[in-house]
Amino acid sequence: MTPLAIPRVLLRQAQGVADEFTAHTAVAVDATELLTGRAALLDIAPHGQSSAGGATLLLATQDRWCALTLSRADDIDMIPALLQQDPAEGDVWPAIRSWAAQRTAAEVAERTRLLGLPVAVLGETAPKPPEVKHLAPRQAGPLAGMLVADLSSMWAGPLCGQLLARAGATVVKVESRNRPDGTRAGSAEFFAWMNGEKLCYATDFDRPHDVAALLDVADVVIEASRPAALARRGLGPGAVTVRPGRIWLRITGHGTDGEKADWVAFGDDAAVSGGLVGYREGTPVFVGDAIADPLTGLHAAAAVAASRERGGGELIEFSMAAVAAGYPPGGGDDVEVIPVRPAARPAGSELGADNEAVRRLVAERAAAPC
């Protein structure tokens, strides 16, 4: 198993958040497993300026470092527009490195964000707690037995849903038929780890009636899309039926203020934005594996558990970059951590496998008083 270099203080701080979740739920959580589990399943680790998954690189500019992620086919397709020329066939990164080296970090970030690419400037984001806003009347209750609609994908949101499922919640994983969770195309073990204990529900977000019916009866909603995407479909927190005690969890890359609401982010570049990197001879390197993802998922689960205990009725907004910024960068305190392989979880269901069960559950809840 390839070890990961992670600061000891980061592991202690993350375990403290895991212990908060345990205090609310009586469910023991190993933060090291959450932070290293994907690396254990895939046997991956960062290589200097290349992320563990290989899709994100740290780029030296004229004044600062940036991180760019190319994890989607659409991202690769945008490279000629970014460079304003066709790169050589094969590996596009040498041309990108050369292009970035001739520009300031601000210039790199401005152009890449104009094209909708996930980019970060090292240390551009300050630590910030989640924003909590009143949403509905309070109504306290246990986590066990509550209904969670998980509209998120990839890692941070699904991990939050997975932890709530461990605490006894019924979690419905909601996916678009046209664009299902991207992790379905990768490791089956990782998808099962994140989603194996959830009901799998597939729908068409351009015909949102079925989704709205589920959200109307849900006690918790987890979403990780850009806020405007759901609002356009009439599925935002202000559009669905008010439910006492409902908690609406929103996870974004960089927050919801101004232009940042439209910035795309993944775990590795979000960590760089928050300054969560290691250093070797003064040069930044990646810490862990997409570490802003599992950190945010853990913080979000603890926040939902605490909110449920005080009665909920809240909109809780997390920025992955701001979560990462709350942790110290690596350095001399790094320790070689052997990744912890997650405990086996039920295999992930096929897309839409539980549609009928979810519809029955929604009908039963709609007919019952809150």
Side-chain angles (χ1 to χ4, degrees), residues 258-307:
E259 63 179 1
K260 291 184 177 182
D262 293 321
W263 292 0
V264 183
F266 290 89
D268 285 303
D269 54 82
V272 172
S273 179
L276 183 48
V277 296
Y279 287 92
R280 293 178 187 167
E281 299 179 354
T283 301
V285 295
F286 286 102
V287 167
D289 172 26
I291 199 161
D293 266 311
L295 284 175
T296 303
L298 174 59
H299 277 257
V304 170
S307 177

mmCIF file of all heavy atoms in Angstrom, residues 258-307:
data_model
loop_
_atom_site.group_PDB
_atom_site.id
_atom_site.type_symbol
_atom_site.label_atom_id
_atom_site.label_comp_id
_atom_site.label_asym_id
_atom_site.label_seq_id
_atom_site.Cartn_x
_atom_site.Cartn_y
_atom_site.Cartn_z
ATOM 1 N N GLY A 258 -21.303 36.148 -5.139
ATOM 2 C CA GLY A 258 -20.824 36.738 -6.387
ATOM 3 C C GLY A 258 -20.363 35.726 -7.407
ATOM 4 O O GLY A 258 -20.958 34.660 -7.587
ATOM 5 N N GLU A 259 -19.262 36.046 -8.068
ATOM 6 C CA GLU A 259 -18.755 35.196 -9.136
ATOM 7 C C GLU A 259 -18.262 33.844 -8.622
ATOM 8 O O GLU A 259 -18.213 32.862 -9.373
ATOM 9 C CB GLU A 259 -17.621 35.905 -9.882
ATOM 10 C CG GLU A 259 -16.392 36.199 -9.028
ATOM 11 C CD GLU A 259 -15.278 36.880 -9.802
ATOM 12 O OE1 GLU A 259 -15.484 37.131 -11.023
ATOM 13 O OE2 GLU A 259 -14.212 37.147 -9.223
ATOM 14 N N LYS A 260 -17.933 33.756 -7.331
ATOM 15 C CA LYS A 260 -17.447 32.491 -6.787
ATOM 16 C C LYS A 260 -18.491 31.385 -6.881
ATOM 17 O O LYS A 260 -18.155 30.202 -6.901
ATOM 18 C CB LYS A 260 -17.004 32.666 -5.330
ATOM 19 C CG LYS A 260 -15.753 33.517 -5.157
ATOM 20 C CD LYS A 260 -15.324 33.564 -3.703
ATOM 21 C CE LYS A 260 -14.041 34.356 -3.538
ATOM 22 N NZ LYS A 260 -13.587 34.374 -2.116
ATOM 23 N N ALA A 261 -19.757 31.770 -6.920
ATOM 24 C CA ALA A 261 -20.825 30.774 -7.009
ATOM 25 C C ALA A 261 -20.736 29.965 -8.294
ATOM 26 O O ALA A 261 -21.254 28.846 -8.363
ATOM 27 C CB ALA A 261 -22.179 31.463 -6.914
ATOM 28 N N ASP A 262 -20.070 30.512 -9.307
ATOM 29 C CA ASP A 262 -19.961 29.828 -10.589
ATOM 30 C C ASP A 262 -18.619 29.128 -10.780
ATOM 31 O O ASP A 262 -18.384 28.514 -11.821
ATOM 32 C CB ASP A 262 -20.174 30.825 -11.741
ATOM 33 C CG ASP A 262 -21.601 31.351 -11.784
ATOM 34 O OD1 ASP A 262 -22.533 30.558 -11.547
ATOM 35 O OD2 ASP A 262 -21.786 32.551 -12.043
ATOM 36 N N TRP A 263 -17.734 29.225 -9.802
ATOM 37 C CA TRP A 263 -16.429 28.576 -9.936
ATOM 38 C C TRP A 263 -16.561 27.078 -9.686
ATOM 39 O O TRP A 263 -17.094 26.640 -8.664
ATOM 40 C CB TRP A 263 -15.432 29.161 -8.939
ATOM 41 C CG TRP A 263 -15.035 30.587 -9.210
ATOM 42 C CD1 TRP A 263 -15.462 31.387 -10.236
ATOM 43 C CD2 TRP A 263 -14.145 31.390 -8.418
ATOM 44 N NE1 TRP A 263 -14.894 32.630 -10.134
ATOM 45 C CE2 TRP A 263 -14.073 32.666 -9.042
ATOM 46 C CE3 TRP A 263 -13.400 31.151 -7.272
ATOM 47 C CZ2 TRP A 263 -13.291 33.699 -8.534
ATOM 48 C CZ3 TRP A 263 -12.625 32.176 -6.754
ATOM 49 C CH2 TRP A 263 -12.565 33.429 -7.380
ATOM 50 N N VAL A 264 -16.062 26.297 -10.624
ATOM 51 C CA VAL A 264 -16.084 24.842 -10.496
ATOM 52 C C VAL A 264 -14.900 24.400 -9.634
ATOM 53 O O VAL A 264 -13.823 25.003 -9.685
ATOM 54 C CB VAL A 264 -15.992 24.176 -11.890
ATOM 55 C CG1 VAL A 264 -16.081 22.657 -11.773
ATOM 56 C CG2 VAL A 264 -17.100 24.707 -12.795
ATOM 57 N N ALA A 265 -15.085 23.340 -8.852
ATOM 58 C CA ALA A 265 -13.980 22.855 -8.009
ATOM 59 C C ALA A 265 -14.080 21.354 -7.807
ATOM 60 O O ALA A 265 -15.169 20.780 -7.787
ATOM 61 C CB ALA A 265 -13.985 23.563 -6.656
ATOM 62 N N PHE A 266 -12.923 20.736 -7.648
ATOM 63 C CA PHE A 266 -12.802 19.353 -7.213
ATOM 64 C C PHE A 266 -11.911 19.336 -5.971
ATOM 65 O O PHE A 266 -11.331 20.355 -5.595
ATOM 66 C CB PHE A 266 -12.216 18.478 -8.327
ATOM 67 C CG PHE A 266 -13.161 18.266 -9.479
ATOM 68 C CD1 PHE A 266 -13.191 19.148 -10.540
ATOM 69 C CD2 PHE A 266 -14.043 17.195 -9.487
ATOM 70 C CE1 PHE A 266 -14.063 18.972 -11.601
ATOM 71 C CE2 PHE A 266 -14.932 16.998 -10.533
ATOM 72 C CZ PHE A 266 -14.941 17.892 -11.597
ATOM 73 N N GLY A 267 -11.791 18.192 -5.339
ATOM 74 C CA GLY A 267 -11.132 18.123 -4.043
ATOM 75 C C GLY A 267 -9.701 18.598 -4.013
ATOM 76 O O GLY A 267 -9.278 19.265 -3.060
ATOM 77 N N ASP A 268 -8.929 18.276 -5.049
ATOM 78 C CA ASP A 268 -7.514 18.656 -5.046
ATOM 79 C C ASP A 268 -7.324 20.145 -5.271
ATOM 80 O O ASP A 268 -6.544 20.798 -4.560
ATOM 81 C CB ASP A 268 -6.749 17.856 -6.106
ATOM 82 C CG ASP A 268 -6.494 16.417 -5.690
ATOM 83 O OD1 ASP A 268 -5.873 16.213 -4.632
ATOM 84 O OD2 ASP A 268 -6.909 15.507 -6.415
ATOM 85 N N ASP A 269 -8.024 20.722 -6.258
ATOM 86 C CA ASP A 269 -7.830 22.154 -6.495
ATOM 87 C C ASP A 269 -8.456 22.989 -5.375
ATOM 88 O O ASP A 269 -7.942 24.056 -5.021
ATOM 89 C CB ASP A 269 -8.342 22.571 -7.875
ATOM 90 C CG ASP A 269 -9.781 22.192 -8.145
ATOM 91 O OD1 ASP A 269 -10.680 22.917 -7.714
ATOM 92 O OD2 ASP A 269 -10.000 21.167 -8.805
ATOM 93 N N ALA A 270 -9.566 22.517 -4.783
ATOM 94 C CA ALA A 270 -10.154 23.237 -3.653
ATOM 95 C C ALA A 270 -9.185 23.287 -2.471
ATOM 96 O O ALA A 270 -9.098 24.296 -1.769
ATOM 97 C CB ALA A 270 -11.469 22.594 -3.228
ATOM 98 N N ALA A 271 -8.466 22.193 -2.240
ATOM 99 C CA ALA A 271 -7.473 22.179 -1.157
ATOM 100 C C ALA A 271 -6.379 23.207 -1.421
ATOM 101 O O ALA A 271 -5.946 23.918 -0.503
ATOM 102 C CB ALA A 271 -6.872 20.782 -1.023
ATOM 103 N N VAL A 272 -5.931 23.306 -2.657
ATOM 104 C CA VAL A 272 -4.899 24.294 -3.007
ATOM 105 C C VAL A 272 -5.427 25.703 -2.791
ATOM 106 O O VAL A 272 -4.733 26.575 -2.260
ATOM 107 C CB VAL A 272 -4.440 24.093 -4.470
ATOM 108 C CG1 VAL A 272 -3.520 25.235 -4.908
ATOM 109 C CG2 VAL A 272 -3.717 22.753 -4.612
ATOM 110 N N SER A 273 -6.672 25.969 -3.176
ATOM 111 C CA SER A 273 -7.270 27.280 -2.957
ATOM 112 C C SER A 273 -7.231 27.652 -1.478
ATOM 113 O O SER A 273 -6.985 28.805 -1.119
ATOM 114 C CB SER A 273 -8.716 27.283 -3.462
ATOM 115 O OG SER A 273 -9.331 28.527 -3.250
ATOM 116 N N GLY A 274 -7.451 26.664 -0.607
ATOM 117 C CA GLY A 274 -7.412 26.897 0.826
ATOM 118 C C GLY A 274 -6.021 26.870 1.429
ATOM 119 O O GLY A 274 -5.869 27.003 2.648
ATOM 120 N N GLY A 275 -5.003 26.688 0.594
ATOM 121 C CA GLY A 275 -3.631 26.666 1.090
ATOM 122 C C GLY A 275 -3.214 25.359 1.717
ATOM 123 O O GLY A 275 -2.145 25.270 2.336
ATOM 124 N N LEU A 276 -4.036 24.306 1.563
ATOM 125 C CA LEU A 276 -3.735 23.022 2.189
ATOM 126 C C LEU A 276 -2.855 22.194 1.255
ATOM 127 O O LEU A 276 -3.320 21.350 0.489
ATOM 128 C CB LEU A 276 -5.024 22.275 2.518
ATOM 129 C CG LEU A 276 -4.890 20.932 3.255
ATOM 130 C CD1 LEU A 276 -3.947 21.047 4.447
ATOM 131 C CD2 LEU A 276 -6.250 20.423 3.687
ATOM 132 N N VAL A 277 -1.563 22.478 1.303
ATOM 133 C CA VAL A 277 -0.560 21.757 0.531
ATOM 134 C C VAL A 277 0.605 21.425 1.453
ATOM 135 O O VAL A 277 0.708 21.948 2.563
ATOM 136 C CB VAL A 277 -0.047 22.594 -0.665
ATOM 137 C CG1 VAL A 277 -1.160 22.861 -1.668
ATOM 138 C CG2 VAL A 277 0.588 23.901 -0.188
ATOM 139 N N GLY A 278 1.477 20.549 0.985
ATOM 140 C CA GLY A 278 2.732 20.303 1.677
ATOM 141 C C GLY A 278 3.845 21.062 0.974
ATOM 142 O O GLY A 278 3.636 21.672 -0.072
ATOM 143 N N TYR A 279 5.032 21.041 1.568
ATOM 144 C CA TYR A 279 6.162 21.724 0.944
ATOM 145 C C TYR A 279 7.390 20.839 0.985
ATOM 146 O O TYR A 279 7.692 20.205 2.006
ATOM 147 C CB TYR A 279 6.451 23.050 1.656
ATOM 148 C CG TYR A 279 5.423 24.115 1.352
ATOM 149 C CD1 TYR A 279 4.301 24.278 2.171
ATOM 150 C CD2 TYR A 279 5.551 24.927 0.233
ATOM 151 C CE1 TYR A 279 3.344 25.239 1.878
ATOM 152 C CE2 TYR A 279 4.584 25.894 -0.062
ATOM 153 C CZ TYR A 279 3.493 26.050 0.757
ATOM 154 O OH TYR A 279 2.530 26.985 0.462
ATOM 155 N N ARG A 280 8.077 20.769 -0.134
ATOM 156 C CA ARG A 280 9.356 20.075 -0.233
ATOM 157 C C ARG A 280 10.367 21.051 -0.796
ATOM 158 O O ARG A 280 10.236 21.493 -1.939
ATOM 159 C CB ARG A 280 9.246 18.848 -1.144
ATOM 160 C CG ARG A 280 8.353 17.742 -0.592
ATOM 161 C CD ARG A 280 8.260 16.585 -1.575
ATOM 162 N NE ARG A 280 7.279 15.604 -1.135
ATOM 163 C CZ ARG A 280 6.816 14.622 -1.919
ATOM 164 N NH1 ARG A 280 7.259 14.512 -3.170
ATOM 165 N NH2 ARG A 280 5.916 13.779 -1.452
ATOM 166 N N GLU A 281 11.320 21.409 0.044
ATOM 167 C CA GLU A 281 12.343 22.379 -0.348
ATOM 168 C C GLU A 281 11.713 23.663 -0.873
ATOM 169 O O GLU A 281 12.154 24.243 -1.871
ATOM 170 C CB GLU A 281 13.279 21.767 -1.395
ATOM 171 C CG GLU A 281 14.022 20.536 -0.881
ATOM 172 C CD GLU A 281 14.925 19.928 -1.927
ATOM 173 O OE1 GLU A 281 14.886 20.394 -3.093
ATOM 174 O OE2 GLU A 281 15.668 18.993 -1.599
ATOM 175 N N GLY A 282 10.643 24.080 -0.195
ATOM 176 C CA GLY A 282 9.989 25.328 -0.541
ATOM 177 C C GLY A 282 9.014 25.254 -1.692
ATOM 178 O O GLY A 282 8.400 26.260 -2.049
ATOM 179 N N THR A 283 8.840 24.072 -2.269
ATOM 180 C CA THR A 283 7.946 23.904 -3.414
ATOM 181 C C THR A 283 6.671 23.199 -2.970
ATOM 182 O O THR A 283 6.736 22.177 -2.276
ATOM 183 C CB THR A 283 8.626 23.072 -4.513
ATOM 184 O OG1 THR A 283 9.819 23.737 -4.927
ATOM 185 C CG2 THR A 283 7.703 22.914 -5.720
ATOM 186 N N PRO A 284 5.497 23.702 -3.341
ATOM 187 C CA PRO A 284 4.252 23.067 -2.893
ATOM 188 C C PRO A 284 4.018 21.715 -3.550
ATOM 189 O O PRO A 284 4.341 21.506 -4.728
ATOM 190 C CB PRO A 284 3.169 24.066 -3.309
ATOM 191 C CG PRO A 284 3.770 24.821 -4.448
ATOM 192 C CD PRO A 284 5.239 24.907 -4.147
ATOM 193 N N VAL A 285 3.470 20.794 -2.774
ATOM 194 C CA VAL A 285 3.081 19.469 -3.267
ATOM 195 C C VAL A 285 1.712 19.147 -2.681
ATOM 196 O O VAL A 285 1.280 19.743 -1.696
ATOM 197 C CB VAL A 285 4.102 18.382 -2.860
ATOM 198 C CG1 VAL A 285 5.451 18.619 -3.514
ATOM 199 C CG2 VAL A 285 4.248 18.313 -1.338
ATOM 200 N N PHE A 286 1.021 18.204 -3.278
ATOM 201 C CA PHE A 286 -0.313 17.840 -2.806
ATOM 202 C C PHE A 286 -0.246 17.080 -1.481
ATOM 203 O O PHE A 286 0.667 16.284 -1.243
ATOM 204 C CB PHE A 286 -1.037 16.980 -3.846
ATOM 205 C CG PHE A 286 -1.513 17.750 -5.037
ATOM 206 C CD1 PHE A 286 -0.813 17.705 -6.235
ATOM 207 C CD2 PHE A 286 -2.646 18.543 -4.960
ATOM 208 C CE1 PHE A 286 -1.248 18.424 -7.338
ATOM 209 C CE2 PHE A 286 -3.090 19.273 -6.051
ATOM 210 C CZ PHE A 286 -2.383 19.215 -7.248
ATOM 211 N N VAL A 287 -1.232 17.340 -0.639
ATOM 212 C CA VAL A 287 -1.414 16.613 0.618
ATOM 213 C C VAL A 287 -2.558 15.623 0.443
ATOM 214 O O VAL A 287 -3.664 16.009 0.044
ATOM 215 C CB VAL A 287 -1.736 17.579 1.777
ATOM 216 C CG1 VAL A 287 -2.238 16.820 2.993
ATOM 217 C CG2 VAL A 287 -0.504 18.395 2.141
ATOM 218 N N GLY A 288 -2.312 14.361 0.730
ATOM 219 C CA GLY A 288 -3.377 13.367 0.702
ATOM 220 C C GLY A 288 -3.990 13.209 -0.674
ATOM 221 O O GLY A 288 -3.392 13.520 -1.705
ATOM 222 N N ASP A 289 -5.221 12.717 -0.698
ATOM 223 C CA ASP A 289 -5.941 12.424 -1.936
ATOM 224 C C ASP A 289 -7.223 13.251 -1.969
ATOM 225 O O ASP A 289 -8.148 12.993 -1.197
ATOM 226 C CB ASP A 289 -6.273 10.922 -1.985
ATOM 227 C CG ASP A 289 -7.190 10.552 -3.129
ATOM 228 O OD1 ASP A 289 -7.192 11.260 -4.148
ATOM 229 O OD2 ASP A 289 -7.892 9.532 -3.004
ATOM 230 N N ALA A 290 -7.248 14.274 -2.849
ATOM 231 C CA ALA A 290 -8.436 15.132 -3.000
ATOM 232 C C ALA A 290 -8.994 15.529 -1.635
ATOM 233 O O ALA A 290 -10.197 15.480 -1.389
ATOM 234 C CB ALA A 290 -9.498 14.412 -3.831
ATOM 235 N N ILE A 291 -8.109 15.948 -0.743
ATOM 236 C CA ILE A 291 -8.414 15.961 0.684
ATOM 237 C C ILE A 291 -9.543 16.911 1.068
ATOM 238 O O ILE A 291 -10.220 16.710 2.087
ATOM 239 C CB ILE A 291 -7.135 16.266 1.480
ATOM 240 C CG1 ILE A 291 -7.302 15.824 2.945
ATOM 241 C CG2 ILE A 291 -6.728 17.733 1.357
ATOM 242 C CD1 ILE A 291 -5.999 15.656 3.682
ATOM 243 N N ALA A 292 -9.805 17.937 0.270
ATOM 244 C CA ALA A 292 -10.920 18.832 0.596
ATOM 245 C C ALA A 292 -12.262 18.116 0.511
ATOM 246 O O ALA A 292 -13.223 18.516 1.176
ATOM 247 C CB ALA A 292 -10.916 20.049 -0.333
ATOM 248 N N ASP A 293 -12.339 17.068 -0.301
ATOM 249 C CA ASP A 293 -13.587 16.311 -0.420
ATOM 250 C C ASP A 293 -13.947 15.592 0.883
ATOM 251 O O ASP A 293 -15.011 15.853 1.458
ATOM 252 C CB ASP A 293 -13.493 15.306 -1.571
ATOM 253 C CG ASP A 293 -14.042 15.848 -2.878
ATOM 254 O OD1 ASP A 293 -15.152 16.386 -2.869
ATOM 255 O OD2 ASP A 293 -13.364 15.708 -3.909
ATOM 256 N N PRO A 294 -13.117 14.661 1.364
ATOM 257 C CA PRO A 294 -13.512 13.959 2.592
ATOM 258 C C PRO A 294 -13.579 14.862 3.806
ATOM 259 O O PRO A 294 -14.414 14.652 4.699
ATOM 260 C CB PRO A 294 -12.440 12.875 2.750
ATOM 261 C CG PRO A 294 -11.270 13.360 1.970
ATOM 262 C CD PRO A 294 -11.848 14.120 0.815
ATOM 263 N N LEU A 295 -12.723 15.883 3.879
ATOM 264 C CA LEU A 295 -12.818 16.815 5.001
ATOM 265 C C LEU A 295 -14.174 17.509 5.009
ATOM 266 O O LEU A 295 -14.826 17.626 6.050
ATOM 267 C CB LEU A 295 -11.697 17.857 4.928
ATOM 268 C CG LEU A 295 -10.298 17.405 5.332
ATOM 269 C CD1 LEU A 295 -9.298 18.533 5.090
ATOM 270 C CD2 LEU A 295 -10.243 16.947 6.783
ATOM 271 N N THR A 296 -14.625 17.963 3.845
ATOM 272 C CA THR A 296 -15.911 18.654 3.776
ATOM 273 C C THR A 296 -17.057 17.706 4.084
ATOM 274 O O THR A 296 -18.008 18.074 4.795
ATOM 275 C CB THR A 296 -16.099 19.295 2.391
ATOM 276 O OG1 THR A 296 -15.008 20.184 2.123
ATOM 277 C CG2 THR A 296 -17.408 20.073 2.328
ATOM 278 N N GLY A 297 -16.998 16.484 3.562
ATOM 279 C CA GLY A 297 -18.048 15.518 3.860
ATOM 280 C C GLY A 297 -18.158 15.222 5.341
ATOM 281 O O GLY A 297 -19.272 15.111 5.891
ATOM 282 N N LEU A 298 -17.014 15.125 6.014
ATOM 283 C CA LEU A 298 -17.005 14.875 7.456
ATOM 284 C C LEU A 298 -17.570 16.072 8.213
ATOM 285 O O LEU A 298 -18.429 15.914 9.102
ATOM 286 C CB LEU A 298 -15.569 14.581 7.902
ATOM 287 C CG LEU A 298 -15.329 14.444 9.407
ATOM 288 C CD1 LEU A 298 -16.166 13.317 10.000
ATOM 289 C CD2 LEU A 298 -13.839 14.207 9.676
ATOM 290 N N HIS A 299 -17.104 17.266 7.889
ATOM 291 C CA HIS A 299 -17.620 18.470 8.554
ATOM 292 C C HIS A 299 -19.118 18.611 8.328
ATOM 293 O O HIS A 299 -19.865 18.985 9.240
ATOM 294 C CB HIS A 299 -16.901 19.710 8.026
ATOM 295 C CG HIS A 299 -15.581 19.978 8.668
ATOM 296 N ND1 HIS A 299 -15.397 20.949 9.632
ATOM 297 C CD2 HIS A 299 -14.368 19.392 8.502
ATOM 298 C CE1 HIS A 299 -14.131 20.963 10.021
ATOM 299 N NE2 HIS A 299 -13.475 20.027 9.341
ATOM 300 N N ALA A 300 -19.568 18.321 7.113
ATOM 301 C CA ALA A 300 -20.988 18.468 6.795
ATOM 302 C C ALA A 300 -21.836 17.503 7.609
ATOM 303 O O ALA A 300 -22.901 17.875 8.117
ATOM 304 C CB ALA A 300 -21.205 18.245 5.300
ATOM 305 N N ALA A 301 -21.383 16.259 7.749
ATOM 306 C CA ALA A 301 -22.145 15.278 8.526
ATOM 307 C C ALA A 301 -22.248 15.708 9.983
ATOM 308 O O ALA A 301 -23.311 15.583 10.612
ATOM 309 C CB ALA A 301 -21.495 13.904 8.414
ATOM 310 N N ALA A 302 -21.143 16.200 10.543
ATOM 311 C CA ALA A 302 -21.175 16.671 11.935
ATOM 312 C C ALA A 302 -22.116 17.865 12.078
ATOM 313 O O ALA A 302 -22.847 17.978 13.074
ATOM 314 C CB ALA A 302 -19.767 17.037 12.393
ATOM 315 N N ALA A 303 -22.132 18.750 11.075
ATOM 316 C CA ALA A 303 -23.001 19.924 11.127
ATOM 317 C C ALA A 303 -24.474 19.532 11.043
ATOM 318 O O ALA A 303 -25.323 20.095 11.744
ATOM 319 C CB ALA A 303 -22.645 20.886 9.999
ATOM 320 N N VAL A 304 -24.797 18.556 10.193
ATOM 321 C CA VAL A 304 -26.185 18.097 10.086
ATOM 322 C C VAL A 304 -26.629 17.452 11.394
ATOM 323 O O VAL A 304 -27.750 17.694 11.879
ATOM 324 C CB VAL A 304 -26.345 17.113 8.910
ATOM 325 C CG1 VAL A 304 -27.717 16.438 8.950
ATOM 326 C CG2 VAL A 304 -26.169 17.845 7.587
ATOM 327 N N ALA A 305 -25.758 16.627 11.974
ATOM 328 C CA ALA A 305 -26.112 15.966 13.234
ATOM 329 C C ALA A 305 -26.365 16.992 14.334
ATOM 330 O O ALA A 305 -27.324 16.866 15.115
ATOM 331 C CB ALA A 305 -25.006 15.002 13.646
ATOM 332 N N ALA A 306 -25.520 18.022 14.405
ATOM 333 C CA ALA A 306 -25.705 19.059 15.423
ATOM 334 C C ALA A 306 -26.979 19.856 15.165
ATOM 335 O O ALA A 306 -27.720 20.194 16.097
ATOM 336 C CB ALA A 306 -24.494 19.990 15.442
ATOM 337 N N SER A 307 -27.242 20.152 13.894
ATOM 338 C CA SER A 307 -28.451 20.904 13.545
ATOM 339 C C SER A 307 -29.704 20.109 13.890
ATOM 340 O O SER A 307 -30.675 20.657 14.427
ATOM 341 C CB SER A 307 -28.437 21.250 12.049
ATOM 342 O OG SER A 307 -29.612 21.925 11.671
#
